[in-house]
Amino acid sequence: MSSGHHSHGSYLESKGGFFANVLDWATTVDHKKIGVMYLFAILFMFFLGGVAALAVRIELLEPVRVKTTFTATGTEPVTQLLRADVAADIKNKDGTPAKDTLLTAGTRVQTHPAAKTVLGNELTSGTQVDVLDDAGKTVVQTATLKGSVSVTDPKTGAATASKITGQFFGSPDATAIAAGNNTYNRLFTLHGAIMVFMVIVPSVPASLGNFFLPLMLGAKDVAFPRLNLLSWYIYVTGSIFAVSSIVLGGVDTGWTFYTPYSTSTDADSIRVVFMILGAFILGFSSILTGLNFIVTVHKLRAPGMGWFDMPLFVWAVYSSGIIQVLATPVIGITLLLLVFERITHIGIFDPALGGDPVLYQHFFWFYSHPVVYVMILPGMGIITELIAVHSHKRIFGYRAIAFASLGIAGVSFIVWGHHMFTSMSEVASTIFSALTFLVAIPTAVKVFNWVGTLYKGSITINTPMLYALIFLFTFSIGGLTGLPLGTLSTDMHLHDTYFVVAHFHYVMMGGTIMAFIGGIHHWWPKMFGKMYNEKAAMLGAILVFIGFNVTFFTQFFLGVRGMPRRYASYVDEFQTLHIISTIGSFILLAGFLVHLSVFVASLVAGRKAPANPWGGLTFEWLADSPPEEHNFAHEPLCTHGPYDYDTTVPPHWDPKDYPIPAENLAAAGSH
Amino acid sequence: MTTLDSRDNRPLWQRYVHGHHWRTQAEEFDGAKLGFWLFLTTEVLLFGGIFCAYAIFRSLYPGAWKEGSSLLDWKIGGINTAVLLISSYTMAVSIYYIQVGKISRARLNLMFTILCGALFVTLKLLLEYTPKWTGWFFFMDPALGHHSIDAAAGNGLFGLFRHVEGYGGKRPGSLYEYGFGHDPHMPLWWSVYYVGTSIHALHVIIGMILIFRVWLKAGKGVYGPNYYTGVEIAGLYWHLVDLIWIFLFPLLYLIH
Ligand code: HEM
Ligand SMILES: [Cu+2]
């Protein structure tokens, strides 16, 4: 063995000049470097998706809608002729609602209270008006205008000064409004597609999972290192496809690509095909990562490590790997059929040719429901680690959590229909509704176990722990609001409203992303060998928590009150809540900027991290910070459970600082 | 630890050193096989989507499915099935020969497998896709006998092809050309037919490429009794491709 060539330095050690380093990273098969490359790629995509989200929120601050001003002179009551159809709530004289009536073109209305002669009165939706009969004299009923209103001057017949309010995409004419709506559709599609396919699905497994799964197992690498690098390149290729569709003008189908809209919109353009192919390619990357992890877990555990000695993060990533492998091919063939459908109209999803658009929805959700658990399971795994390590306590119900992961993975395959209650038969809907409640069981088991672990633990409040607590709060809200959505009768009201939007943001952002950021902080010292500023990071966490809830809790109210999702505009009643939500999104932005600066400051000038800053027991804390190229100086041997805090001194810790009660040791010895 | 030494002139397979992150070569082999089985699962699920579409539309439009399968020639499908079955056998045999160290026999069988694959794809394109899509029949096409040759249209490509008026246009979806009295859902049948068989044919081609790589590497002495992971994996892939055809063939050609 030519010993001189084997460096035992940190994996981050420079390999020479700039180009030598670039080449080294671009061709590396080291799971740690690949994990870090994934981390940066994902954070970059998170930034892109975030910009789109902020643009969407800004549009909703003051969306484009028509307000008409009219001028009145003299003492006679001003009557206005409505030009367009306007929805109105007609009330009887006694104030009881009569019925929803359309004030058709030509109806005369008079603002209410009528006596006033108003100058520059604004006739917006929500204005109270009196409806006059044809003769223009009798007040018949009181009405509230809904929707957009336009008014003609009763004397000249010309449109009175109507102004279009709203900013960002707004300018005062109908084509500009249409163009603005178009931009809006593209922005939310961009946001959704990036966040789902390029951020949340790969986030935890591909970055932190890649880095820590082998370390936690005591392995030198994942089972197939070159496949791992390939999957990173596939990820980048898929992202380039998807992003290039945006550069070419954007896609407005929504991230769900529902047919027949997705097969007919922008028919002259290749953009939609690019976006769909992007998602298809990203699927391969996801499959390869999942497959790699499954084999790694099966074959590369350290000597002495049985299945139930594995850290629960590993269990979670393993379970989500199973879903990735079993669900992604279905979306693969679906997207492929969609591309064929678009290019040659093969008719599988096209009712004009005998095809079935609902089949698309079945295929799509057969993948996309299980995949929400690909998103959340690794996040749950992180939370388990954070809670155990930072409360220094044996995890409560190890096996329950491990089997709950598998249980969730299993059940996730039989509930997809709950996204389609409005497009299925009653019987099918009822069955899917009943099955959906099964998912809540293993999920709740986990939440109880986490809370049980915290009970009487010696809790350190730092950023990772703060994020774990945030997760418990937000994810519980997200999970519980899933129940009214899974209930057939209530979902009829809530489907396709902001309630759904709020629900999935509470689980995906409040769940996965919170766990992800918490995990990044938890493992930051290990990955980069530097400590971060705890106080500043906690400030960031608090801002994120406040911003997140302000942004999304309001959306539950919007949804219950009937605000539909994916609209660029709304009636005035919704504006206050939308403004609050937009303010929240900027608080969120502030929180993320704090985190970003904390990370940069840590990389530039952070204190050197010890090997085991938190006193964790899993193998990654045995390795150096940052780990050496082949992870461990000697192959670790599994001699204690991952959470045996009551009987084990953490690696690199002095037993003096970690006194183990004698009776615990005696009990451990008697096993 | 072994290093590749230029003075060591044992064949490559005898000098094989397993990946540094595996404990033993046996574990590396098991890991590779487990990973590949998982990959094969994804392939099955991918085709599962197509089979699912087949089943749904079949139950919706039994008329089109009946008419459609009667337009496929079970003889050509049968020949192709036989070709694939034989190639699966030669593939299995070549793994055996590698395991016992008879490398050149193994390579012969590998090459035979590749040629079977090529035959399969050629028959598919020449005798199935071309006449259906365009109406031009290859002159030795067994199905040609049923059809009267359109003399006026003449022969194509040095007389190798014959045109049958009104036969072509059997294409997927909107590319379909309606003939007299056809079931209105025929375009859908052809969509399922083309998507299913062409994605399968693509897999055959990928399999051929994999086996060709194995053939090349075997020529350099990479594989032998001690090390044959690549051969085993190419074999698994080839058997899967075969298996999927075993399902496609009766569903499309035989069930009316
Ligand atoms: C207790 C567990 C959960 C239940 C019972 C549940 C139930 C539901 C139901 C019934 C819908 C459909 C609502 C509709 O469209 O009318 C829905 C939508 C959604 N859920 Fe959940 N859910 C749960 C957890 C999760 C988790 C953990 C995630 C992701 C991490 C998630 C992500 C989503 C997404 C993304 C949508 C919206 C998809 C779309 O239409 O764009 N859910 N959920
Ligand atoms: Cu779902």
Side-chain angles (χ1 to χ4, degrees), chain A residues 276-545:
Chain A
I276 297 169
L277 281 180
F280 176 76
I281 295 170
L282 288 161
F284 274 101
S285 146
S286 181
I287 289 179
L288 294 184
T289 308
L291 185 155
N292 217 336
F293 289 174
I294 294 179
V295 179
T296 310
V297 170
H298 273 269
K299 299 285 173 193
L300 289 177
R301 300 194 304 276
M305 185 185 272
W307 281 85
F308 295 107
D309 300 320
M310 294 195 309
L312 286 161
F313 177 67
V314 174
W315 270 102
V317 173
Y318 176 76
S319 309
S320 83
I322 292 179
I323 309 180
Q324 277 172 302
V325 169
L326 295 184
T328 318
V330 179
I331 195 75
I333 186 71
T334 310
L335 295 177
L336 217 52
L337 288 173
L338 197 58
V339 169
F340 288 155
E341 182 88 50
R342 253 194 93 83
I343 295 176
T344 66
H345 294 287
I346 58 171
I348 305 261
F349 303 129
D350 180 359
L353 289 167
D356 187 356
V358 176
L359 180 64
Y360 174 84
Q361 297 183 15
H362 278 291
F363 277 174
F364 183 84
W365 289 114
F366 182 81
Y367 160 79
S368 291
H369 182 79
V371 97
V372 306
Y373 293 98
V374 170
M375 306 176 195
I376 197 65
L377 278 171
M380 292 171 156
I382 292 184
I383 294 305
T384 313
E385 298 301 321
L386 301 193
I387 286 187
V389 173
H390 297 280
S391 59
H392 290 276
K393 191 149 163 271
R394 181 187 290 276
I395 199 83
F396 180 75
Y398 175 97
R399 285 185 190 225
I401 296 183
F403 285 123
S405 290
L406 289 179
I408 289 176
V411 178
S412 74
F413 281 99
I414 52 171
V415 301
W416 77 91
H418 65 213
H419 296 272
M420 306 167 51
F421 287 152
T422 50
S423 45
M424 289 187 307
S425 73
E426 274 170 37
V427 181
S429 298
T430 313
I431 294 172
F432 274 118
S433 178
L435 289 174
T436 296
F437 294 114
L438 290 180
V439 180
I441 300 171
T443 313
V445 164
K446 291 196 172 216
V447 173
F448 286 124
N449 280 310
W450 291 320
V451 177
T453 306
L454 286 172
Y455 180 66
K456 287 192 174 169
S458 64
I459 297 173
T460 319
I461 292 289
N462 51 16
T463 318
M465 186 46 129
L466 214 49
Y467 268 109
L469 297 176
I470 293 176
F471 176 98
L472 284 184
F473 182 83
T474 49
F475 180 74
S476 297
I477 294 179
L480 289 172
T481 53
L483 297 177
L485 293 176
T487 312
L488 185 50
S489 51
T490 39
D491 186 61
M492 287 298 144
H493 176 61
L494 298 173
H495 178 60
D496 267 348
T497 67
Y498 264 62
F499 193 90
V500 178
V501 177
H503 157 70
F504 68 69
H505 280 89
Y506 263 86
V507 277
M508 304 211 294
M509 179 150 192
T512 311
I513 295 291
M514 297 301 165
F516 187 39
I517 311 174
I520 294 178
H521 283 91
H522 177 70
W523 282 307
W524 184 268
K526 182 59 62 184
M527 285 192 285
F528 300 107
K530 300 277 180 70
M531 298 305 284
Y532 59 86
N533 184 327
E534 195 67 69
K535 289 228 172 67
M538 279 166 76
L539 172 72
I542 290 167
L543 284 175
V544 167
F545 176 69

Side-chain angles (χ1 to χ4, degrees), chain A residues 1-2 6 217-225 280 284 287-288 290-291 294-295 298-303 324-327 329-330 332-333 336-337 340 344-350 353-356 359 363 366 630 635, chain B residues 1 3 20-23 27-28 30-50 52-53 56-57 60-61 133 172-175 178 184-188 190-192 195 198-199 213:
Chain A
M1 177 167 166
S2 46
H6 270 269
L217 292 172
K220 291 199 188 109
D221 208 322
V222 292
F224 311 117
F280 176 76
F284 274 101
I287 289 179
L288 294 184
L291 185 155
I294 294 179
V295 179
H298 273 269
K299 299 285 173 193
L300 289 177
R301 300 194 304 276
Q324 277 172 302
V325 169
L326 295 184
V330 179
I333 186 71
L336 217 52
L337 288 173
F340 288 155
T344 66
H345 294 287
I346 58 171
I348 305 261
F349 303 129
D350 180 359
L353 289 167
D356 187 356
L359 180 64
F363 277 174
F366 182 81
H630 296 306
E635 182 173 44
Chain B
M1 193 189 226
T3 43
H20 77 281
H21 57 296
W22 292 96
R23 259 170 240 115
E27 279 185 21
E28 183 185 49
D30 285 351
K33 275 219 295 208
L34 175 61
F36 207 76
W37 274 105
L38 286 169
F39 174 72
L40 294 185
T41 318
T42 71
E43 291 279 21
V44 169
L45 283 158
L46 185 102
F47 280 95
I50 296 170
C52 188
I56 288 168
F57 291 127
L60 286 177
Y61 315 120
W133 199 282
S174 61
L175 302 174
Y178 279 90
H185 296 295
M186 286 312 285
L188 210 53
W190 291 117
S191 298
V192 172
V195 171
S198 66
I199 294 184
R213 251 193 90 211

